[in-house]
Amino acid sequence: QVQLVESGGGLVQAGGSLKLSCTSSRRILNINTMGWYRLAPGQQRELVASIQTAGTTNYADSAKGRFTISRDNTKSTIYLQMNSLKPEDTGVYYCNARLRIGYSELDYWGQGTQVTVSS
């Protein structure tokens, strides 16, 4: 079982920045992949960025060059630094932890944090 607690969302003007945090109840060194997903109104939840145990990162095209995902293993926390925010970045951001056990994958989700970017 993994519990994830997010923080850092809020209201910001276009061009501004926000930094999201997600703290895990389980050591993140033992979690294969952690990431941030966004659920925008009327859309499906989509991957924004992910980071693997070895540090390999992956970004949605919309996030490349503006967002940076990082991790602090000592704090069991991952971060999402979001710069040059756009109104289309608005949505609920969910932290995800994916455990790979054998041939199975288990996904755990945080409660979500709202990000609103005004134009």
Side-chain angles (χ1 to χ4, degrees):
Q1 189 77 351
V2 179
Q3 294 180 327
L4 304 169
V5 179
E6 303 118 327
S7 62
L11 172 64
V12 64
Q13 289 189 329
S17 299
L18 282 174
K19 186 174 185 178
L20 307 183
S21 301
C22 171
T23 300
S24 168
S25 61
R26 182 175 178 144
R27 293 181 64 210
I28 61 175
L29 279 174
N30 297 328
I31 298 174
N32 301 94
T33 305
M34 295 193 70
W36 291 96
Y37 286 73
R38 176 176 61 230
L39 179 61
Q43 298 185 19
Q44 292 185 331
R45 186 159 51 186
E46 61 178 355
L47 176 68
V48 176
S50 66
I51 185 165
Q52 297 182 348
T53 306
T56 304
T57 57
N58 181 46
Y59 294 93
D61 287 342
S62 60
K64 290 177 181 177
R66 300 187 299 126
F67 294 3
T68 302
I69 189 170
S70 62
R71 60 195 295 157
D72 185 335
N73 295 330
T74 64
K75 296 181 179 179
S76 293
T77 299
I78 66 167
Y79 305 95
L80 185 67
Q81 176 67 48
M82 304 186 293
N83 298 327
S84 302
L85 282 162
K86 305 175 182 179
E88 51 264 42
D89 295 320
T90 294
V92 179
Y93 284 69
Y94 294 91
C95 180
N96 169 264
R98 177 164 292 173
L99 294 175
R100 196 166 293 122
I101 302 174
Y103 294 104
S104 301
E105 289 183 336
L106 296 176
D107 279 312
Y108 296 92
W109 298 92
Q111 81 285 355
T113 185
Q114 176 71 45
V115 171
T116 303
V117 184
S118 63
S119 57

